[in-house]
Amino acid sequence: MRALVQRVAEAEVTVAGASVGRIGPGLLVLVCAMQGDDEGQADRLAARVARLRIFRDEADKMNRSVLDTGGGALVVSQFTLAADTRTGNRPGFSAAAAPETGEALYLRFAAALRDLGVPVQTGVFGADMRVALVNDGPVTIWLDSAVRG
């Protein structure tokens, strides 16, 4: 699985003009299941995200996790993280998991974050979403659960 994690002051996702998820300080997590991914990878990636120390401590160092700060997570499915741009001008997405698998692993990832104690809001899998955020820092981190060739 792949995740693009952004430390945010706030973030919101809307579908057809209606808010479906909103957080204050915390993490916006764009997540994509890849072919071959399984529930174990979703759980491990959620644990990495929950413990990722990218929030400031008293000494202004990035030394605290979303668990330490009590922040929330807005988890949004983003199959385009599977983009292959090695050739041509049009990205290919064949490395993304099939939609049924992708949705199941996306939901598993969000549930695993909740189980770890992170308040979680989500987007709507497969929907045309609008995501608004105020990136704090800015801090943006790319995570991948597997090394791919």
Side-chain angles (χ1 to χ4, degrees), residues 36-104:
D37 286 343
D38 59 26
E39 291 181 348
Q41 286 171 308
D43 294 344
R44 286 188 297 278
L45 187 60
R48 286 182 68 197
V49 168
R51 294 181 178 97
L52 189 62
R53 295 175 9 191
I54 60 172
F55 291 90
R56 294 179 185 98
D57 65 11
E58 307 76 30
D60 207 29
K61 303 279 186 200
M62 286 198 300
N63 202 28
R64 300 180 76 204
S65 71
V66 71
L67 289 170
D68 297 329
T69 65
L74 178 56
V75 178
V76 178
S77 62
Q78 181 81 37
F79 85 94
T80 60
L81 292 178
D84 181 353
T85 58
R86 291 178 290 186
T87 61
N89 295 317
R90 183 175 182 201
F93 302 104
S94 60
E100 307 79 34
T101 302
E103 182 174 19

